[in-house]
Amino acid sequence: MSACQPIHTPLEEKVNLCIEPDQVPADKRRYQRLVGRLMYLSHTRPDLAYALSVVSQFMRNPDYRKVVAYTDSDYAGEIDGRRSTAGYFTFVGGNLVTWRSKKQNIVTRSSAQAEFRGMSDGICETLWLRLLLKDLGVPLKDPITLYCDNKAARDIAHNPV
């Protein structure tokens, strides 16, 4: 890197761009198309890379204070041991941040039990994300939302007993 030559970019370094509170929002699709074209152009024009990384931050206006998780399980999906596989994935501000799929440690007796165990894994993950966001100074705006497709497992989770 000692023989590298500096190159000028179309955007000054350390420029802090932000969205003004009273700013009229731009046409989102048009802005995304423009940024996509710049991405394509950056393959032949590396001097655009920094400016592209800055304007890409405004592709959408995510709300990082919302956590959503989806869980699912297959009951006795393993042929040999009859163990279920559970999985979850979580979104923070509409962006996928974590996912996991794992065979459960025990053999469950019903699909509801397998789904409930998968839900508990998803809840543990979202609670960890909540603590992480709190440590980063981003408290959650809304309660965590957890989706599960098994009515019996949801009923078990809602039962206060």
Side-chain angles (χ1 to χ4, degrees):
M1 295 294 292
S2 61
C4 291
Q5 298 294 323
I7 189 165
H8 296 288
T9 65
L11 185 66
E12 294 180 26
E13 289 184 31
K14 299 182 182 174
V15 172
N16 292 325
L17 299 178
C18 64
I19 297 173
E20 297 294 327
D22 57 345
Q23 181 178 351
V24 177
D27 180 12
K28 182 178 174 181
R29 290 182 183 207
R30 186 174 179 205
Y31 189 79
Q32 289 174 342
R33 279 195 309 268
L34 178 62
V35 172
R37 290 174 182 161
L38 286 173
M39 284 181 183
Y40 182 75
L41 186 60
S42 70
H43 292 294
T44 58
R45 297 275 311 274
D47 58 320
L48 298 176
Y50 176 72
L52 181 60
S53 70
V54 172
V55 298
S56 293
Q57 296 174 17
F58 301 98
M59 292 280 285
R60 56 191 287 269
N61 190 13
D63 185 1
Y64 290 107
R65 296 178 296 169
K66 184 170 183 169
V67 176
V68 178
Y70 296 86
T71 64
D72 199 8
S73 175
D74 73 334
Y75 171 61
E78 183 187 33
I79 295 172
D80 296 330
R82 305 296 294 165
R83 291 187 299 169
S84 302
T85 302
Y88 61 83
F89 53 97
T90 58
F91 290 89
V92 177
N95 299 305
L96 180 66
V97 292
T98 62
W99 62 92
R100 184 175 187 190
S101 176
K102 181 182 176 189
K103 285 185 186 172
Q104 294 179 351
N105 295 335
I106 63 168
V107 176
T108 56
R109 295 183 179 184
S110 67
S111 63
Q113 185 182 12
E115 292 277 355
F116 188 76
R117 292 181 61 81
M119 287 172 59
S120 67
D121 290 342
I123 288 170
C124 289
E125 183 71 13
T126 57
L127 292 175
W128 175 79
L129 282 171
R130 182 175 69 178
L131 290 174
L132 178 65
L133 289 170
K134 183 180 176 184
D135 288 346
L136 294 173
V138 183
L140 292 181
K141 182 172 83 172
D142 297 324
I144 296 170
T145 306
L146 180 78
Y147 292 101
C148 175
D149 64 350
N150 187 291
K151 184 178 179 341
R154 289 192 313 253
D155 291 344
I156 292 169
H158 285 100
N159 186 355
V161 176

